[in-house]
Amino acid sequence: MPDCIFCKIIEGELPSEKIYETEEVYCFLDANPLGKGHTLCIPKKHHQNVFEMDADLAAKLIKASKKVAQMQKDNLGADGVDFLQYNGRAGGQEVMHYHMHILPRFEEDSVDAWPETAYKKESLEATAKKLRSG
Ligand SMILES: [Zn+2]
């Protein structure tokens, strides 16, 4: 898909920080992280959402997501992890290429304050800036 930002990442037209990949799946750091180590896992072929892929590919995406979650636990010391995945505009999807968010969580985070309240009080840019300065 020519105008798809994630297809451009797969093609190497846009930079990304690779975390893990398989033959069909690519996992990389979100350019606008919600937290340290915020990773996206996507299919290398363009599929808009879970409705447009077969169950085998969906299973491979979950398998890769589990691998990344384990890396976040082992290598970043995450105390927990959130999987977030949206399908269709009505489901809150913004980039129309399937992507699983894998968010490492730490005991010091307030789960209750994220993301609807505290997080939305500042821009993604401000949050990323704080994270990079830490
Ligand atoms: Zn795409």
Side-chain angles (χ1 to χ4, degrees):
M1 291 284 284
D3 292 329
C4 174
I5 190 170
F6 290 165
C7 284
K8 286 180 181 171
I9 284 172
I10 294 295
E11 294 301 319
E13 292 172 34
L14 290 173
S16 66
E17 291 292 336
K18 182 175 85 175
I19 302 300
Y20 176 71
E21 76 177 314
T22 67
E23 198 176 316
E24 294 175 77
V25 177
Y26 186 73
C27 306
F28 59 101
L29 288 182
D30 192 307
N32 297 300
L34 296 177
K36 183 182 176 186
H38 179 184
T39 302
L40 301 177
C41 281
I42 66 175
K44 289 183 177 177
K45 283 189 182 163
H46 185 89
H47 293 274
Q48 275 201 2
N49 54 49
V50 75
F51 302 116
E52 291 193 348
M53 66 177 72
D54 62 34
D56 282 348
L57 180 56
K60 286 171 183 167
L61 283 154
I62 294 293
K63 199 171 173 183
S65 299
K66 175 178 165 48
K67 170 72 177 176
V68 169
Q70 193 66 52
M71 291 165 78
Q72 291 172 345
K73 186 174 179 3
D74 293 345
N75 303 336
L76 287 184
D79 300 304
V81 62
D82 293 345
F83 284 5
L84 293 171
Q85 203 273 310
Y86 306 94
N87 296 283
R89 293 209 188 279
Q93 186 175 5
E94 290 177 357
V95 176
M96 302 310 277
H97 180 135
Y98 174 102
H99 53 290
M100 173 74 83
H101 296 266
I102 302 147
L103 284 156
R105 303 302 301 270
F106 302 90
E107 295 290 355
E108 63 268 26
D109 291 346
S110 170
V111 172
D112 293 340
W114 185 90
E116 294 299 330
T117 54
Y119 183 70
K120 285 188 175 172
K121 288 177 184 165
E122 63 181 24
S123 68
L124 287 179
E125 187 180 17
T127 302
K129 202 174 206 178
K130 275 185 201 163
L131 288 166
R132 283 192 297 265
S133 71

